[in-house]
Amino acid sequence: MLDATDKKILEELSKNARITMKELGEKVHLTGQAASSRVIKLEEEGIIEGYTIQLNERKIGYPVHSFINIYTKHIQHQPYLSFLGNQSEYIINNYKISGEGCYLLECKFPSNEVLDHFLTQLNKYVNYKLSIVINNK
Amino acid sequence: MLDATDKKILEELSKNARITMKELGEKVHLTGQAASSRVIKLEEEGIIEGYTIQLNERKIGYPVHSFINIYTKHIQHQPYLSFLGNQSEYIINNYKISGEGCYLLECKFPSNEVLDHFLTQLNKYVNYKLSIVINNK
DNA sequence: ACAACTCCTTTCACATTTCAAGGAAAATCC
DNA sequence: GGATTTTCCTTGAAATGTGAAAGGAGTTGT
């Protein structure tokens, strides 16, 4: 399904998704047009789901990165999920998991004070265990 | 530091990082040239760290997504970290955390069998608690 | 051997980007 | 307050990239 050229294309686009098709072509020994049509095919097949930017969250005011394990005994998760909907500024991902708790909530905050306030509200809906990210090496 | 136009630019690029500068300019009521120079500035300031693709990991052969809390009593983390270096095919992120354990390891695997084999090797270096991602809603 | 298919290249018209020059508005300085 | 500097934008023109069409080479099936 994916040949070596496709893999190289995905690798190059992962490193720089704004590369021109001409340059991408040079990297994989194709013309720009051939590279472009492979990329279009990868998009159509749903292998490439989108193009996005990597942001420095610290520099845009969200220096606190955390993972929160969510525990609840309630059958109804909807109140918790609705709460998240109202807090989307802080939410990166809410993974439904099997293992430690029901969900693993990945969030970002401007400060520990905001995190504290968030946790206070969160605790109305669920129990949790908090992990703060120190770095990512 | 960031005005409303910059924020809109970041938002649009998050949604589609391959948009042309001309189109981006239209969305923020600027010429392509003006949009482009703002983007260059955001890059130089380190706010935009890069451009990348969103991949469908399932379709490229990594349907199993997991988070693994890593626990160790050893002072030396190097053997564990070296092990990760050899397993980079499967590693998405290794967050150093304060909270549940020492690290939160985010990984992807082709199958439960490969995950099982990975865990067996991992257990030579550290203890762990496994969470499998069911979905992300 | 021929037809059908896939995947590539070439060509060319058109769109975008880049670079330079210049203008308007705001900020700074005296 | 008025002159100067700075910032941020626009315009225009040249360089570069893209997309569509036509066609060629290699592969597969009959």
Side-chain angles (χ1 to χ4, degrees):
Chain A
M1 187 171 182
L2 287 189
D3 66 13
T5 302
D6 288 325
K7 284 180 190 158
K8 189 85 197 300
I9 285 174
L10 295 179
E11 191 186 318
E12 291 299 332
L13 287 176
S14 294
K15 283 192 281 188
N16 177 13
R18 276 195 71 85
I19 192 173
T20 63
M21 288 300 121
K22 186 160 187 262
E23 270 184 88
L24 179 61
E26 283 162 14
K27 286 185 190 280
V28 300
H29 312 297
L30 288 177
T31 58
Q33 291 83 338
S36 174
S37 68
R38 274 179 182 256
V39 169
I40 290 167
K41 205 168 158 198
L42 290 166
E43 291 168 358
E44 286 171 349
E45 289 170 339
I47 289 167
I48 295 176
E49 295 185 331
Y51 301 91
T52 191
I53 48 178
Q54 293 159 311
L55 282 176
N56 185 318
E57 297 288 352
R58 181 175 53 75
K59 291 190 178 170
I60 57 174
Y62 294 90
V64 180
H65 183 194
S66 73
F67 284 89
I68 308 178
N69 285 95
I70 303 296
Y71 302 83
T72 176
K73 285 161 205 139
H74 299 159
I75 294 170
Q76 267 289 47
H77 292 181
Q78 199 49 53
Y80 161 71
L81 295 172
S82 301
F83 168 70
L84 292 191
N86 298 330
Q87 304 286 320
S88 58
E89 177 186 356
Y90 307 127
I91 309 303
I92 302 171
N93 285 117
N94 181 47
Y95 299 105
K96 186 181 285 182
I97 57 173
S98 132
E100 272 296 288
C102 306
Y103 296 96
L104 181 62
L105 182 59
E106 182 180 6
C107 321
K108 57 181 182 179
F109 299 98
S111 67
N112 285 339
E113 285 68 29
V114 176
L115 168 56
D116 178 43
H117 181 243
F118 177 86
L119 292 176
T120 304
Q121 294 188 267
L122 179 65
N123 204 24
K124 294 176 189 163
Y125 304 95
V126 295
N127 291 316
Y128 64 83
K129 227 157 38 180
L130 172 66
S131 298
I132 302 275
V133 174
I134 308 299
N135 72 21
N136 177 7
K137 190 210 54 59
Chain B
M1 187 174 183
L2 288 190
D3 66 14
T5 302
D6 288 326
K7 283 180 191 160
K8 190 84 197 302
I9 285 173
L10 294 179
E11 190 187 319
E12 291 298 332
L13 287 175
S14 294
K15 285 194 279 187
N16 176 14
R18 277 194 71 84
I19 193 174
T20 63
M21 287 300 120
K22 188 163 183 260
E23 270 184 88
L24 180 60
E26 282 162 16
K27 284 183 191 284
V28 300
H29 311 296
L30 288 176
T31 59
Q33 292 88 328
S36 174
S37 69
R38 273 179 183 255
V39 169
I40 289 168
K41 204 169 161 199
L42 290 167
E43 291 168 359
E44 284 170 351
E45 288 169 340
I47 289 168
I48 295 176
E49 295 184 331
Y51 301 90
T52 191
I53 48 177
Q54 294 159 310
L55 282 176
N56 186 318
E57 298 288 353
R58 180 175 53 76
K59 291 190 178 171
I60 58 174
Y62 294 90
V64 181
H65 184 195
S66 72
F67 285 90
I68 308 177
N69 285 94
I70 303 296
Y71 301 83
T72 176
K73 285 160 202 138
H74 298 158
I75 295 170
Q76 268 288 47
H77 291 182
Q78 200 50 53
Y80 162 71
L81 295 171
S82 302
F83 167 71
L84 291 191
N86 298 331
Q87 303 287 320
S88 57
E89 178 186 356
Y90 307 126
I91 310 302
I92 302 170
N93 286 117
N94 182 46
Y95 299 105
K96 185 181 287 183
I97 57 173
S98 132
E100 271 297 289
C102 305
Y103 296 96
L104 180 63
L105 182 59
E106 182 180 7
C107 320
K108 59 181 182 179
F109 298 97
S111 66
N112 285 337
E113 285 68 30
V114 176
L115 168 56
D116 178 44
H117 181 242
F118 177 85
L119 292 175
T120 304
Q121 293 189 269
L122 178 65
N123 204 23
K124 294 177 187 160
Y125 304 96
V126 295
N127 291 317
Y128 64 83
K129 227 158 34 182
L130 171 65
S131 298
I132 303 274
V133 174
I134 308 298
N135 72 21
N136 178 6
K137 189 208 54 60

